[in-house]
Amino acid sequence: MNEAWAGIRRWAPLLLWAGAFIFLNSTSPLAAVYPRTPLTDRVDALFAGWDRAGSPGAALGIIRDGRLIYARGYGMANLEYDVPITPQSVFRTGSVGKQFTAICAAVLAERGRLSLDDDIRKHLPEMPAYERPITVRHLIHHTSGLRDYLELQGLAGRVDDYFFTKEEGIALLARQKGLNFPPGEKYQYSNSGYFLLGEIVARVRGISLREFMRREIFEPLGMKSTHLHDDRNFIVRNRATGYAPRDGGYRIAMTQLEIVGDGSVFTSIEDFLLWDRNFYDNRLGRRTRGLIDMILTPGRLNDGSAIDYAFGLRIDTYRGLRRVSHSGSYMGYRATYRQFPDQRFSVVVFANLSTFDPSRLADAVADIYLADLFTGPPPPAEPRDDGAARAKRPRAVRLPPPDLARYAGDYYSGELDVVARIRPEGGRLRMRLVRTLDDLTPVGSDRFLATYTNDDADEAAPRTLEFLRDPAGALSGFLMHADPIHDIRFERIPQSD
């Protein structure tokens, strides 16, 4: 026994060294160890404000040549149970998930199951026939002119944690009488395009978008902690809770919506590494470079001019280097993906705080690691909000209470399927919708500026109400405008005796 023990002691150092070598050189991200360097110290300093107990924060991944060269968490994934953020923490990634919906459509196009030039009514017959057809390609490149369904719900007063189903979302878009612009005429970001794109993929394939992504994207790439969140009751292991500031602390800020396509992909830093690798060594579709080239090809407008938006990814340059990127935000989550393909370098930041700016920090990380490779100057600083936008609002005019009272009544919008109840209250005019109360300030003849009276007033788009009159001069309704959405018609509901 003593001889055996002596043998173990003699070989133990060598066994430990071998184990450490395997651990440090494993291709598995789970086995990675990241030594501190002057560069990582500078990176940690960028995130130091959130790197503490009691604060939400972020997970960071820095990728070079298909490997995580640095990954760590800053702050807490769950404040109630003191769970720290790690590279394995799972975050809702907002619109970063659009690229996954886009590649699903590209896979179907590669197989001949879907044409990018299909009129969307071929797959969504409930959608209106506008003057010009909207194609699948228009949805992908945000050139459809479709009104954003989330903005439409906001105009109807369906805000905060208001729950609606996929079917109700599609019905809302199907009720729209107009577009923001003719299809293909311009680029304008709209969540509606990717919401409908996801539904088209599901209908063409005959299974849910979640199941299609699992089979065609996540499983082939080994992304075991990634899923499309179409079930609000689904248990997510290692989930980071979303937060927003509140009274010197934080509140939970998470949605119950089960809408997918425009977002709702949950993933971790370590899983996203596998997605980033696939841009260089494609394992999806027919496993050809053609699929990757397709999703990295920017769209064009009707006049032939190019835009910088490809398939759920923005293609541009940063300080002289080619960049592929997308950011996302929803409720208490923020995310960004920055890839520099020619340098095989990427930065990924997932955050669980609504005030976090992952794009700024990801660019700052790139500034540290790619400093010797840039050929252009840093971009100019974002202009500060000096109140100029508020100063441009039309000047209020004074109307006596009897004149204000003439606008009182109930008004119905078929496009939003909502009743606006306008009443004089305390010497002012107010409008109640589903979950919002607005002050209506007169700014001209039959024109009013609507402003939320609840806490999210600063986030609400300026809205104007333009009242309409019949040939006899009686009020018949109003049009609601909120850039880029215009001419949402409300008809006055006759009052019964």
Side-chain angles (χ1 to χ4, degrees), residues 304-362:
S305 59
I307 61 175
D308 67 3
Y309 202 90
F311 281 57
L313 292 163
R314 198 173 300 281
I315 314 297
D316 62 5
T317 59
Y318 177 77
R319 302 189 63 181
L321 302 183
R322 189 163 62 100
R323 182 175 66 175
V324 177
S325 67
H326 209 290
S327 297
S329 63
Y330 197 61
M331 302 294 287
Y333 294 99
R334 299 293 184 269
T336 199
Y337 174 45
R338 299 286 204 249
Q339 181 197 91
F340 295 85
D342 298 329
Q343 289 70 39
R344 296 177 68 93
F345 178 86
S346 298
V347 182
V348 188
V349 181
F350 299 148
N352 65 334
L353 179 60
S354 64
T355 54
F356 204 92
D357 187 351
S359 297
R360 178 183 64 83
L361 289 166

Side-chain angles (χ1 to χ4, degrees), residues 43 47 50-51 55-63 68 70-78 83-100 218 223 225-227 236-243 263-276 279 313 325-339 346-363 365:
V43 168
F47 293 83
W50 302 274
D51 192 18
S55 172
L60 164 70
I62 305 174
I63 304 168
L68 280 167
Y70 192 59
R72 63 160 294 188
Y74 305 88
M76 309 302 289
N78 187 286
V83 178
I85 294 173
T86 73
Q88 298 88 38
S89 298
V90 175
F91 293 78
R92 178 185 286 270
T93 59
S95 292
V96 170
K98 284 182 169 66
Q99 59 199 285
F100 295 104
F218 304 143
M223 300 173 69
S225 297
T226 304
H227 74 282
V236 182
R237 294 191 62 194
N238 299 322
R239 182 191 337 217
T241 302
Y243 296 98
S264 300
V265 170
F266 279 57
T267 190
S268 68
I269 292 293
E270 292 188 343
D271 257 23
F272 207 86
L273 164 68
L274 305 175
W275 170 250
D276 181 78
F279 284 91
L313 292 163
S325 67
H326 209 290
S327 297
S329 63
Y330 197 61
M331 302 294 287
Y333 294 99
R334 299 293 184 269
T336 199
Y337 174 45
R338 299 286 204 249
Q339 181 197 91
S346 298
V347 182
V348 188
V349 181
F350 299 148
N352 65 334
L353 179 60
S354 64
T355 54
F356 204 92
D357 187 351
S359 297
R360 178 183 64 83
L361 289 166
D363 288 340
V365 171

